[in-house]
Amino acid sequence: MTDDDKPADLFLQLFIRHEPELRAFVRASLPGSSDVDDVMQEVSLVAWKKFSTLTDVAIFPRWACLITRFEILKFRRKCARNRLVLDDATIELLVAEGAEEMPRRKQQLAVLDECMNKLPEERRKLVLAAYSRETTIKNLAQQLGKTEHSLYQLLARIRHQLLLCLQRTLAAQLRD
């Protein structure tokens, strides 16, 4: 590996490690989830271009969060013609709140992963398939030989099971 490869590798490691929290931050700051991927792509490009200016990798999460905040605001200005867009002051409040909640969201995502791993393999695969972009409930129900309604019922029971696991685990962590 050459010296030129090291910054790229380090950037990728850091970005991939913190991408779920940044994505949650973006999702919480935008009215439509369909725009999250576009903003995340811009965040990754800007962060990569500015990575050489980062002097301490320990502050990467805060640094990336700041870039994310500006990309959210830039995206929102582009969409300002839409009447349903919140004003900048409200967005600033949401962004600040989102930044404060990032450690909690990271913890919740880690616990959700634990709870998903506790599910039987068949149910885990079903949940992952049901919420992937490539799958519709109608197609998934047909593949499984179920009605859409019964599949929705099953997914609701699994989500409830995951919620209970998540609540129990987080409560136990607070007690410890």
Side-chain angles (χ1 to χ4, degrees), residues 71-137:
E71 289 306 310
I72 290 167
L73 292 172
K74 187 165 87 174
F75 179 83
R76 295 191 60 73
R77 277 193 296 275
K78 247 185 358 186
C79 299
R81 289 180 290 249
N82 185 344
R83 290 186 201 189
L84 301 176
V85 174
L86 300 173
D87 67 3
D88 285 346
T90 304
I91 294 303
E92 286 289 330
L93 287 172
L94 291 171
V95 166
E97 186 177 294
E100 290 173 14
E101 292 176 356
M102 276 185 70
R104 178 80 170 148
R105 288 188 185 143
K106 186 175 183 177
Q107 177 189 24
Q108 289 171 335
L109 288 171
V111 170
L112 180 59
D113 281 343
E114 288 176 29
C115 291
M116 283 287 292
N117 288 330
K118 291 178 184 176
L119 287 174
E121 185 177 351
E122 184 178 303
R123 285 192 169 205
R124 186 172 49 248
K125 285 181 180 178
L126 176 63
V127 169
L128 293 173
Y131 293 102
S132 77
R133 290 183 177 198
E134 296 81 34
T135 306
T136 64
I137 294 296

Side-chain angles (χ1 to χ4, degrees), residues 44-60:
S44 65
L45 290 172
V46 171
W48 169 242
K49 288 176 185 173
K50 295 183 178 215
F51 187 64
S52 62
T53 66
L54 181 65
T55 55
D56 182 5
V57 294
I59 64 167
F60 182 87

Side-chain angles (χ1 to χ4, degrees), residues 3 16 18 33 55 75 92 108 123 128 138 166 174:
D3 286 343
I16 289 169
H18 298 286
S33 61
T55 55
F75 179 83
E92 286 289 330
Q108 289 171 335
R123 285 192 169 205
L128 293 173
K138 183 177 183 177
L166 187 71
L174 285 175

